[in-house]
Amino acid sequence: MPSATVAVTGLIRRYGRHIALDQVSLGLTKGVTGLLGPNGAGKTTLLRILATALSPDQGTIDMLGIDPLTAKGRLEARRVLGYLPQHPGFHPGFTAFEFIDYVGILRRITNRAQRHDETRRVLDAVGLSDVRGKKIKTLSGGMRQRVALAAAIVGDPQFLILDEPTVGLDPNQRLRFRELIAELGEDHVVLLSTHQTEDVGALCQHVVVLAGGTVRFDGTPADLSAYAAGRVWHSAQKDPNAVAGWRTGQGTVHNIGSPPPGATLLEPTLEDGYLLLLDGDPALKEVA
Amino acid sequence: MTTQQVSVDHPSRGTLRAYAGTELAGARLESVDHHVAECRECIVTLAELTDTAELARGWARLDRSLDEPRPGRFERLLRLLGLHEDLARIAATTPALHASWLGTAAFIMVGALLITRYAPADVAGLAFLTTFPVLPVVGAALSFGPSLDPTYELTLVSPIGRFPIILLRTLSVLITLIGIAGLGSLAMPQQGLAAVAWMAPSLALTLVTIALTVKLEPRVAGACTAAAWAVCVIATSNSDGTSVLLTVEGQLAVAGLVVVAGAAVVRLRRYFDLLTPIDFPSLARATP
């Protein structure tokens, strides 16, 4: 009986002298896990390793009971995982239907009728049934992203790896996309990377913060917010001692850091927790 | 109840079915028509019999046939040649098989043929020998790569694996070109060995290119192979236009290279299955 979890231990990946992932360990269960981190944190490297596109230099992976680091396990893993790459591309001449059908071929659904049924199912799941006969190049960015999500769920893989699925979408499309992902999280193990804290707040039950190739936080979104408890306050002017501060729509300044005595404390948000967590991070200073 | 007024002679289910199927005519049709117009019970029965499921199936069939991807000319040809339809689709999506590329290849071949025909004898045979085998190498280099195949990452992590796809695509490019070149060599002034001397090198160089893609980006691998071939032709040629490559011994040596390169490709096959670090610069470049 394969376990419905994905466990990663001690993952190391180098590119030349640069260490992209340094001793990364994490566990995923059913539901949506958000992988949060600044650019260059190693998110895509981690997702590519999990998607079997890349192999780690060290470490072990248990993917629903499969070891994808062996040649045999890798093929098995590819059947149980669905991957939405960071920059999904499409063959220019394909319609949405033809593209998904092609992905079905790559996923070795050899029975044509069955494959076409599956194509219709996934296009319906992402709400693209109406445009299935249209060339992908004529579709909007949001629709293309949905085509890519449809491609990731062909054959109903139990482990979904989504690399920045909401990037480039307008608020409306993003909302619709979150709904889709939340639905998938009901009975799949979903790992999505993002650098948007709103995405995590809106749909993740579990959040992992990756920065400089290491895991800085692993817990619930509430815990991440709580990290900033007692360290968020507002004031009329920007507090010079604050780690960060910005004027909000209400006209006051939202500060995070070490509040002065007597400051009006605010309920911390996920973003506050995330920013404080990454504050003073040497790896981030490097990036910035 | 209306049913009571006409209950005396309800048409049998069989009659109603025939009526629904518009199989009745004349007096019988008229009497059933009359009855059904008055009898609610029979209308209900009739609705049951007018098989909605069958109707739905009919629509679904129509819908399906509209969805059915229409294979292009090349795909149809491959299927005609006996290639499995799924493999034909994969081969047909080869970037290098796009009309523009094939057009260029045909143009170069015609050019080479013209040289062979009208140039002085000392360059003619050699121009042909240098150009022709390089074309499938270029084709192989353009068949599969992060910057050329828009669905590269998706293809890479598909259960079908990268190796069979590389083989399938390069071989279909090779066979297409051999077809074109074969027709071209019929127009060669020299007959015999000189006219077919390009064939073994085509195969050998293609295999060498495939083997090199384990460590090199396909385009770089192709360029290296092509350059090495040009050097090889020049080094083995004499000023009078004869070349050891145009002799039986030379051809046997090339045939030896085919075997060695083929064995190398087979031995290296598991390395094709992962994204190599070499792929990374190009993947990064592909990002907008």
Side-chain angles (χ1 to χ4, degrees):
Chain A
M1 188 65 197
S3 54
T5 57
V6 177
V8 169
T9 6
L11 227 49
I12 297 182
R13 172 73 208 203
R14 298 184 191 86
Y15 298 127
R17 278 190 304 173
H18 171 68
I19 298 188
L21 292 180
D22 191 6
Q23 292 287 351
V24 168
S25 300
L26 48 95
L28 308 171
T29 50
K30 239 170 221 176
V32 184
T33 300
L35 184 62
L36 203 56
N39 288 326
K43 299 190 297 286
T44 295
T45 302
L46 176 58
L47 296 193
R48 278 186 175 142
I49 289 174
L50 286 172
T52 74
L54 200 66
S55 57
D57 295 321
Q58 267 178 58
T60 60
I61 301 173
D62 175 346
M63 189 186 291
L64 314 175
I66 298 165
D67 176 5
L69 300 181
T70 62
K72 184 169 161 282
R74 187 156 62 225
L75 282 184
E76 278 177 55
R78 285 174 178 177
R79 287 168 191 274
V80 299
L81 72 87
Y83 178 41
L84 171 63
Q86 193 172 12
H87 302 283
F90 307 100
H91 290 291
F94 274 166
T95 64
F97 190 93
E98 283 168 342
F99 176 68
I100 300 297
D101 185 47
Y102 176 66
V103 172
I105 293 177
L106 293 180
R107 292 201 70 101
R108 308 185 88 161
I109 308 177
T110 47
N111 178 310
R112 195 188 334 160
Q114 195 191 332
R115 192 173 67 232
H116 287 182
D117 284 343
E118 180 63 6
T119 303
R120 268 182 288 274
R121 181 189 74 82
V122 298
L123 285 173
D124 189 50
V126 300
L128 286 180
S129 290
D130 293 344
V131 295
R132 64 183 188 273
K134 285 211 170 132
K135 290 247 158 98
I136 294 178
K137 60 183 173 200
T138 67
L139 300 180
S140 70
M143 282 181 170
R144 278 188 218 180
Q145 197 67 1
R146 279 193 269 163
V147 173
L149 180 66
I153 59 174
V154 170
D156 199 23
Q158 289 308 297
F159 178 34
L160 292 172
I161 302 165
L162 315 174
D163 199 351
E164 300 196 2
T166 58
V167 83
L169 300 184
D170 68 33
N172 220 340
Q173 293 168 332
R174 179 168 296 169
L175 202 70
R176 171 93 184 96
F177 219 76
R178 282 182 192 153
E179 268 175 13
L180 284 173
I181 295 170
E183 253 170 62
L184 288 167
E186 301 275 316
D187 48 5
H188 296 79
V189 181
V190 181
L191 176 63
L192 70 91
S193 76
T194 179
H195 42 236
Q196 308 257 339
T197 47
E198 308 97 89
D199 281 344
V200 176
L203 62 87
C204 299
Q205 294 90 49
H206 177 196
V207 53
V208 174
V209 177
L210 198 65
T214 59
V215 173
R216 303 299 162 95
F217 177 87
D218 187 338
T220 64
D223 289 342
L224 184 52
S225 308
Y227 185 81
R231 295 201 275 169
V232 188
W233 71 101
H234 71 78
S235 56
Q237 294 302 323
K238 189 175 177 214
D239 197 316
N241 297 319
V243 169
W246 59 91
R247 198 168 287 282
T248 63
Q250 281 82 40
T252 55
V253 174
H254 183 106
N255 299 290
I256 58 173
S258 311
T264 329
L265 291 180
L266 293 173
E267 194 62 28
T269 64
L270 195 70
E271 191 169 30
D272 297 329
Y274 175 61
L275 288 174
L276 270 179
L277 186 72
L278 296 187
D279 172 54
D281 196 314
L284 284 181
K285 295 252 159 67
E286 240 168 67
V287 173
Chain B
M1 287 282 283
T2 45
T3 41
Q4 279 163 348
Q5 300 164 14
V6 284
S7 61
V8 214
D9 52 351
H10 282 308
S12 69
R13 283 180 78 87
T15 312
L16 280 176
R17 189 173 290 122
Y19 175 75
T22 65
E23 287 157 30
L24 292 186
R28 282 193 74 200
L29 172 67
E30 217 162 284
S31 78
V32 177
D33 238 351
H34 268 290
H35 177 88
V36 169
E38 298 294 326
C39 176
R40 180 173 296 208
E41 198 179 309
C42 283
I43 288 177
V44 172
T45 319
L46 199 57
E48 273 168 29
L49 291 174
T50 325
D51 196 342
T52 47
E54 177 56 36
L55 207 60
R57 275 197 293 278
W59 277 115
R61 265 201 305 278
L62 183 66
D63 217 22
R64 268 158 211 221
S65 63
L66 289 176
D67 279 343
E68 193 80 31
R70 280 177 228 339
R73 258 168 299 177
F74 183 69
E75 195 179 330
R76 282 202 301 271
L77 177 70
L78 290 175
R79 278 158 77 161
L80 215 60
L81 293 174
L83 195 63
H84 186 276
E85 57 177 73
D86 293 356
L87 299 180
R89 177 78 53 80
I90 292 173
T93 52
T94 308
L97 283 169
H98 290 169
S100 61
W101 188 82
L102 274 184
T104 316
F107 181 77
I108 294 172
M109 282 194 195
V110 169
L113 276 171
L114 288 176
I115 293 174
T116 324
R117 213 106 217 187
Y118 301 107
D122 55 341
V123 289
L126 294 180
F128 199 77
L129 189 64
T130 320
T131 336
F132 271 39
V134 167
L135 287 173
V137 167
V138 179
L142 297 180
S143 293
F144 193 89
S147 43
L148 290 154
D149 186 347
T151 56
Y152 177 74
E153 248 190 300
L154 210 62
T155 313
L156 184 67
V157 301
S158 65
I160 212 165
R162 184 187 190 184
F163 184 62
I165 293 179
I166 291 183
L167 274 196
L168 190 63
R169 288 186 171 172
T170 13
L171 289 182
S172 54
V173 171
L174 183 66
I175 290 165
T176 312
L177 286 174
I178 284 182
I180 300 177
L183 287 177
S185 61
L186 291 179
M188 282 275 285
Q190 307 101 311
Q191 286 304 317
L193 196 55
V196 290
W198 52 271
M199 221 181 250
S202 298
L203 190 55
L205 297 188
T206 307
L207 288 169
V208 168
T209 309
I210 296 178
L212 287 179
T213 54
V214 168
K215 278 284 165 209
L216 298 174
E217 219 256 271
R219 286 184 297 184
V220 178
C224 289
T225 316
W229 175 244
V231 169
C232 178
V233 172
I234 292 166
T236 56
S237 304
N238 310 311
S239 53
D240 61 352
T242 58
S243 167
V244 74
L245 290 167
L246 292 170
T247 63
V248 175
E249 291 78 24
Q251 287 286 307
L252 281 176
V254 176
L257 181 61
V258 171
V259 173
V260 172
V265 167
V266 172
R267 258 192 95 84
L268 292 171
R269 68 182 178 281
R270 68 192 182 92
Y271 294 105
F272 289 98
D273 225 18
L274 285 174
L275 207 60
T276 56
I278 287 134
D279 292 334
F280 270 83
S282 21
L283 275 174
R285 267 202 304 280
T287 67

